[in-house]
Amino acid sequence: MNVNEYPLFALSREHQEIRRVIREICDDKIAPAAAAVDEEARYPQEAHDALLASDFFAPHVPEAYGGVGADALATVLVIEEIARADVSASLIPAVNKLGSLPVQIAGSEELKRKYLGALAAGEGGFSYCLSEPDAGSDAAAQKTRAVRDGAGPDAGWVLNGTKRWITNAGASQFYTVLAVTDPEKRSRGISAFVVEKSDEGVSFGAPEKKLGIKGSPTREVYFDNVHIPADRLIGEEGRGFEYAMKTLDHTRITIAAQAVGVAQGALDYALGYVQERQQFGKPIASFQGIEFMLADMGMKVEAARQMTYAAAGRSERGDADLTFFGAAAKCFASDVAMEVTTNAVQLLGGYGYTRDYPVERMMRDAKITQIYEGTNQVQRIVMARQLLAGVQSNI
């Protein structure tokens, strides 16, 4: 049997080349700065510049709008490899996809040309403003309001409110913002808009002091009588929440990719360490207890990887069971990342608990993958409802 007859289970040559190229960039430009970025809690400018120069800044943008048009699997590979070196840096392409995907899904052709084109050209990053102080897992409980600024179809909007936990806030130039346009309709009264950092009335809170991903600024975003032109409404009025949920179906897979990447990075480092560390006259890798830990770590990382790639395929095709697979990949991979990075710290013993070694940073970074873009408790609710509705393919 020739395995090449079954390409479903192997990366194409093109995808393998993408992995090789982005890994070289990570090894040369991103990994060397990762510890300093974390220690100084600063934006990973080295990664930003390297990704921009290599067209990996926002690889998902279609060629029609000036991007490279990477498919969902290629984008996953990019994010996975960057996260293997530095999770904070992986949020650059991940959040650029998250923030701009509503425009790609539902925006007018004019909006796509303007903002996807600017993103592809590196004119600014794109963040996603959904969460609020009182609207986390209950994302429909929005309080940010957008009201008509005048009458007629060409009337713009005035935006007021606060968004919380916004990744790369302040660093990004563009923002997809969800706001209530009809408070009587709950989720069906929410619309989506593109807001620019330079718009009068837009401001930012102080950076959050976080456990991990310290290189990615997380801030509140404030909107104080921000005037938004009519043509910056994304899609149709009242359908913003629908676009937001469709976006998350696709982008939860990028969080799974982050989780796989950081888990792989921790496993790689631990493998090197246990083969060098001597105790009782021999490498600790020769002890069965260590071997069992390594076996479980490798097995679970690979299972998470395959689930993530399978979900990426469904994202590209727009399969009916994407919601289940996106939630499953994100939930499983992030749980694996937390387990594997914690075990990597254990394998290094006291050294693993110090900042002189990267696995403690990886463990701290891994934790957020269980929380953002929907907690893993929410992912389990999503999966259960999909199962109960019969929306899962029979393979």
Side-chain angles (χ1 to χ4, degrees):
M1 180 184 294
N2 183 356
V3 71
N4 292 325
E5 294 175 359
Y6 299 89
L8 176 65
F9 299 101
L11 293 178
S12 68
R13 290 181 181 177
E14 181 181 0
H15 287 118
Q16 291 177 37
E17 180 64 10
I18 288 170
R19 186 192 289 284
R20 184 192 67 78
V21 171
I22 188 62
R23 181 169 291 191
E24 285 185 359
I25 293 169
C26 290
D27 289 346
D28 292 345
K29 304 291 186 182
I30 297 176
V37 164
D38 177 73
E39 192 72 25
E40 299 164 20
R42 64 172 175 81
Y43 184 72
Q45 193 62 47
E46 298 91 341
H48 179 108
D49 295 342
L51 295 173
L52 200 55
S54 57
D55 287 332
F56 289 124
F57 183 71
H60 70 285
V61 176
E63 293 180 2
Y65 307 108
V68 296
D71 62 26
L73 178 55
T75 302
V76 157
L77 291 172
V78 169
I79 293 168
E80 177 190 342
E81 287 299 324
I82 301 171
R84 177 175 168 267
D86 181 9
V87 181
S88 290
S90 74
L91 281 159
I92 295 173
V95 172
N96 282 338
K97 180 169 183 176
L98 173 65
S100 66
L101 200 57
V103 174
Q104 191 171 326
I105 289 172
S108 67
E109 193 62 28
E110 179 183 359
L111 211 61
K112 291 176 183 178
R113 283 197 303 270
K114 181 176 180 179
Y115 289 106
L116 296 180
L119 178 60
E123 295 174 10
F126 221 124
S127 288
Y128 185 74
C129 295
L130 175 63
S131 295
E132 296 185 2
D134 296 315
S137 295
D138 184 8
Q142 302 278 306
K143 292 183 179 178
T144 296
R145 290 291 310 276
V147 298
R148 285 283 188 181
D149 183 16
D154 296 327
W157 301 84
V158 178
L159 190 64
N160 283 280
T162 299
K163 296 294 180 177
R164 180 169 285 178
W165 312 120
I166 307 307
T167 304
N168 287 351
S172 294
Q173 298 298 316
F174 312 117
Y175 300 80
T176 289
V177 180
L178 280 297
V180 175
T181 49
D182 188 341
E184 301 299 320
K185 294 183 178 179
R186 193 166 161 79
S187 65
R188 295 184 180 181
I190 295 173
S191 302
F193 302 86
V194 175
V195 177
E196 298 184 8
K197 179 181 177 180
S198 59
D199 288 334
E200 186 176 354
V202 175
S203 61
F204 304 93
E208 301 288 349
K209 298 177 180 179
K210 305 191 298 290
L211 174 71
I213 56 166
K214 293 183 179 181
S216 176
T218 303
R219 299 179 177 181
E220 288 190 331
V221 185
Y222 308 122
F223 307 100
D224 183 12
N225 290 324
V226 179
H227 290 258
I228 305 298
D231 60 5
R232 285 209 233 148
L233 173 69
I234 299 172
E236 299 177 24
E237 181 181 346
R239 295 185 66 186
F241 192 77
E242 173 190 338
Y243 305 147
M245 295 302 102
K246 283 185 178 179
T247 293
L248 293 177
D249 282 343
H250 294 276
T251 59
R252 282 174 179 145
I253 301 163
T254 67
I255 307 305
Q258 285 184 325
V260 171
V262 70
Q264 186 67 61
L267 175 57
D268 290 346
Y269 197 91
L271 285 168
Y273 180 87
V274 298
Q275 292 176 78
E276 293 180 2
R277 175 67 169 168
Q278 299 267 337
Q279 289 288 277
F280 306 102
K282 55 185 177 181
I284 64 172
S286 65
F287 298 122
Q288 190 176 68
I290 300 297
E291 290 177 329
F292 283 2
M293 287 181 69
L294 294 171
D296 282 343
M297 291 162 74
M299 173 177 63
K300 291 178 181 179
V301 170
E302 191 55 40
R305 177 177 288 115
Q306 295 304 321
M307 184 178 286
T308 300
Y309 291 2
R314 285 165 169 80
S315 173
E316 187 66 25
R317 296 187 299 268
D319 289 356
D321 57 2
L322 169 61
T323 299
F324 175 86
F325 270 84
K330 189 269 188 193
C331 185
F332 183 78
S334 59
D335 283 349
V336 165
M338 198 68 245
E339 178 182 342
V340 168
T341 56
T342 301
N343 283 344
V345 171
Q346 187 72 20
L347 287 169
L348 267 68
Y351 294 115
Y353 203 67
T354 70
R355 294 205 298 268
D356 294 328
Y357 293 80
V359 290
E360 66 86 29
R361 166 173 52 85
M362 294 173 176
M363 182 180 73
R364 290 186 286 106
D365 287 348
K367 182 59 192 174
I368 192 60
T369 63
Q370 294 180 305
I371 298 172
Y372 60 12
E373 292 209 30
T375 65
N376 282 4
Q377 287 73 24
V378 167
Q379 303 311 315
R380 287 176 167 88
I381 292 171
V382 170
M383 285 184 278
R385 290 177 178 174
Q386 291 289 299
L387 291 170
L388 291 167
V391 185
Q392 186 196 18
S393 62
N394 294 316
I395 298 174

